[in-house]
């Protein structure tokens, strides 16, 4: 299975589930985007299971060596558990952990839940990278736990500029030295729309948005 194969199937699945929607959506940066990606709408058992299969495909194809999966609260929690189960069914039993938003002051206490990440190479799991806040907080937590952040895996790379001329994913790589792998990118979404004759107008708006805000690949 090639990378483009699972990436293109993921885009089709996300569009079918209306996780990717088309129209006019204001982003956190105040931009008017012709599409919106909301991973929270993978909100049934079957949809989450399928999503985690796609994540597992991306991890097997692209991820750097790692020993443990970490899911930042809140969206990362069901993702990291589901991906760990998916990888186990494929023959790789990987420990996982996640964090609480607030430290627990009773019982076992602390912020981290799950497997102990100390001394382990950790792959951070998230849905998208917008401002990089979630990754930054995860890196701080993992460093405090004496773990080694190894990389990040996300569902969709929007491939648009963040606060600089680089994209948010490029900034993560530049600032933290972490490779970012993804299930699909904006290029796969464009290719999907290009094959649909009913989406000519949407594609036109997407090309215009990309010319204004787009960047190259993950390390460009």
């Amino acid at each position: 299975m090639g990378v483009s194969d699972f990436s293109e199937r993921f885009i089709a699945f996300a569009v079918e589930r209306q996780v990717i929607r088309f129209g006019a959506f204001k982003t956190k940066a105040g931009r008017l985007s012709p599409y919106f990606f909301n991973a929270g709408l993978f909100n049934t058992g079957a949809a989450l299971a399928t999503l985690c299969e796609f994540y597992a495909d991306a991890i097997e194809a692209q991820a750097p060596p790692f020993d443990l999966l970490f899911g930042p609260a809140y969206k990362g929690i069901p993702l990291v558990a589901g991906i760990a189960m998916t990888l186990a069914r494929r023959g790789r039993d990987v420990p996982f952990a996640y964090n609480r938003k607030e430290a627990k002051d009773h019982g076992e206490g602390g912020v981290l839940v799950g497997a102990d990440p100390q001394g382990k190479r950790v792959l951070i799991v998230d849905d998208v990278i917008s401002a990089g806040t979630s990754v930054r907080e995860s890196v701080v937590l993992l460093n405090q736990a004496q773990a080694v952040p190894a990389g990040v895996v996300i569902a969709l790379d929007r491939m648009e500029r963040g606060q600089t001329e680089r994209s948010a994913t490029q900034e993560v790589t530049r600032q933290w030295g972490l490779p970012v792998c993804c299930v699909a990118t904006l290029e796969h979404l464009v290719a999907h729309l290009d094959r649909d004759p009913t989406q000519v107008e949407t594609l036109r708006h997407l090309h215009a948005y990309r010319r204004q805000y787009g960047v190259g690949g993950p390390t460009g």
Side-chain angles (χ1 to χ4, degrees):
M1 181 187 301
V3 172
S4 61
D5 178 60
F6 70 71
S7 300
E8 290 166 5
R9 288 190 296 107
F10 168 73
I11 292 293
F13 176 61
V15 170
E16 179 186 355
R17 291 282 312 179
Q18 296 188 9
V19 171
I20 296 178
R21 298 186 181 188
F22 305 108
F25 305 92
K26 193 170 184 178
T27 69
K28 288 182 180 179
R31 300 168 182 168
L32 198 61
S33 172
Y35 75 102
F36 181 65
F37 177 78
N38 182 3
L41 295 177
F42 290 116
N43 54 14
T44 69
L48 179 61
T50 302
L51 174 62
C52 290
E53 292 285 350
F54 285 122
Y55 267 99
D57 290 337
I59 288 169
E60 290 176 346
Q62 306 168 21
F66 68 96
D67 310 302
L68 180 142
L69 294 167
F70 177 77
Y74 288 104
K75 285 184 179 179
I77 296 174
L79 288 176
V80 76
I83 294 166
M85 288 189 289
T86 303
L87 291 173
R89 285 194 297 270
R90 297 185 180 193
R92 183 178 182 186
D93 191 16
V94 180
F96 70 93
Y98 56 91
N99 68 297
R100 301 182 177 96
K101 284 290 188 179
E102 296 180 0
K104 187 177 179 182
D105 60 4
H106 60 281
E108 77 278 15
V111 174
L112 297 179
V113 182
D116 183 0
Q118 183 175 353
K120 295 184 174 65
R121 298 168 297 179
V122 180
L123 183 66
I124 300 167
V125 177
D126 216 339
D127 55 349
V128 295
I129 298 176
S130 298
T133 304
S134 178
V135 172
R136 180 170 60 253
E137 292 174 350
S138 297
V139 169
V140 170
L141 283 173
L142 292 170
N143 285 338
Q144 290 172 346
Q146 298 179 9
V148 182
V152 183
V153 58
I154 59 174
L156 181 69
D157 183 354
R158 289 179 60 98
M159 300 178 68
E160 64 183 74
R161 293 197 308 274
Q163 300 300 312
T164 69
E165 290 301 306
R166 295 182 175 90
S167 71
T169 55
Q170 291 169 349
E171 283 296 338
V172 165
T173 299
R174 184 189 67 85
Q175 183 173 3
W176 303 106
L178 298 176
V180 178
C181 56
C182 55
V183 179
T185 70
L186 178 61
E187 290 181 346
H188 297 108
L189 178 57
V190 169
H192 175 82
L193 293 175
D194 197 41
R195 292 191 293 270
D196 186 347
T198 69
Q199 295 284 11
V200 172
E201 190 67 11
T202 299
L203 188 61
R204 184 177 68 82
H205 288 301
L206 192 54
H207 279 310
Y209 185 80
R210 192 178 188 185
R211 283 194 297 271
Q212 188 170 4
Y213 300 114
V215 296
T219 58

